[in-house]
Amino acid sequence: MGANGDGVMNEFLKLEYEQCMGLVKYYDERHHSLMKFAAGLSSSVPTLLLGIYGLGTNITTVFWDVAAFICLATMIGLLSILAAITQTRLYFVYPARQINAIRRESLQTVAKDFTENQMYLDTSFNAFKWNSSQTIQQAIVAIQVGMFGGLAAFSWYANSLDRINNIWISSTVALLSAGLVFFVSARYLIRKSGFHPDKAVHGKED
């Protein structure tokens, strides 16, 4: 292909690079927005429950039933946020890989005289990394899910079990719930990011 063909390809890569940079920024901002929403939800619900509890002794007969329902609904809401955070992380990785691929290609062709590259070139990195801030935030939301699962269990059994047994049961529910949802989200990222986007996102076979 001649110079015109090369020029067309270069223009395509330039546009692709810019579009992918925009996607990386978009998904990064979306991730932080979801984290803020999860934090706001997790902090407002206990305040609501304390407000209901403070209405007086007349409300205490039904308070635990109401608390169980609210905590269960909050747990489900946080589960949906965690699912969105996990998928956002996956969608973030693909344009980031594309940026690295374009950078590496450009360094080998149009910028081959540039030998002091200090930016990323890896196109095979996994969406899940133990030492990344995204994983820590993912774990925080999983803990929030577990916490409200435990609170829902505690509220449900508050009128039928003694306090010690209820604490043990609700603590077990909280730990198992948090561990399970974190494991599932981590496994999703590890597995899906090993595929080409067409297969991982759209289910298309090679």
Side-chain angles (χ1 to χ4, degrees):
M1 187 176 290
N4 290 338
D6 292 339
V8 170
M9 179 58 70
N10 289 337
E11 285 298 317
F12 167 77
L13 291 179
K14 180 181 178 181
L15 179 61
E16 180 78 351
Y17 188 90
E18 293 172 350
Q19 292 292 332
C20 287
M21 285 293 292
L23 286 173
V24 165
K25 181 179 179 181
Y26 167 76
Y27 287 122
D28 187 56
E29 292 175 347
R30 183 184 180 190
H31 177 92
H32 289 295
S33 296
L34 288 168
M35 285 299 304
K36 290 179 181 178
F37 187 75
L41 181 62
S42 297
S43 61
S44 62
V45 170
T47 303
L48 172 64
L49 292 176
L50 289 174
I52 295 174
Y53 188 78
L55 291 178
T57 56
N58 292 332
I59 198 68
T60 55
T61 55
V62 295
F63 170 76
W64 293 114
D65 292 334
V66 173
F69 174 79
I70 292 175
C71 288
L72 182 61
T74 305
M75 179 186 177
I76 294 172
L78 287 168
L79 272 174
S80 67
I81 295 174
L82 180 61
I85 288 173
T86 303
Q87 196 168 54
T88 297
R89 173 62 180 170
L90 183 67
Y91 288 166
F92 172 91
V93 164
Y94 291 127
R97 286 178 178 173
Q98 185 79 331
I99 288 171
N100 292 357
I102 294 172
R103 183 182 294 116
R104 184 171 62 184
E105 172 68 18
S106 299
L107 288 172
Q108 293 172 352
T109 54
V110 295
K112 57 185 176 181
D113 293 332
F114 179 65
T115 59
E116 297 295 329
N117 174 58
Q118 303 296 312
M119 288 300 291
Y120 310 106
L121 298 176
D122 186 15
T123 58
S124 61
F125 59 90
N126 200 281
F128 181 82
K129 294 182 179 181
W130 281 108
N131 59 345
S132 70
S133 60
Q134 288 85 1
T135 299
I136 295 174
Q137 293 170 341
Q138 190 176 338
I140 289 173
V141 180
I143 291 172
Q144 292 170 344
V145 171
M147 179 184 71
F148 279 99
L151 288 174
F154 182 88
S155 301
W156 181 259
Y157 292 111
N159 293 321
S160 58
L161 290 177
D162 62 87
R163 184 63 60 89
I164 298 300
N165 286 333
N166 198 2
I167 290 175
W168 276 108
I169 292 174
S170 59
S171 297
T172 301
V173 170
L175 290 173
L176 290 178
S177 299
L180 178 62
V181 297
F182 180 76
F183 171 78
V184 171
S185 61
R187 185 177 182 275
Y188 175 87
L189 289 177
I190 292 171
R191 182 174 178 272
K192 289 290 187 177
S193 62
F195 298 137
H196 187 278
D198 283 336
K199 183 176 182 180
V201 178
H202 303 296
K204 293 184 178 180
E205 297 295 333
D206 297 333

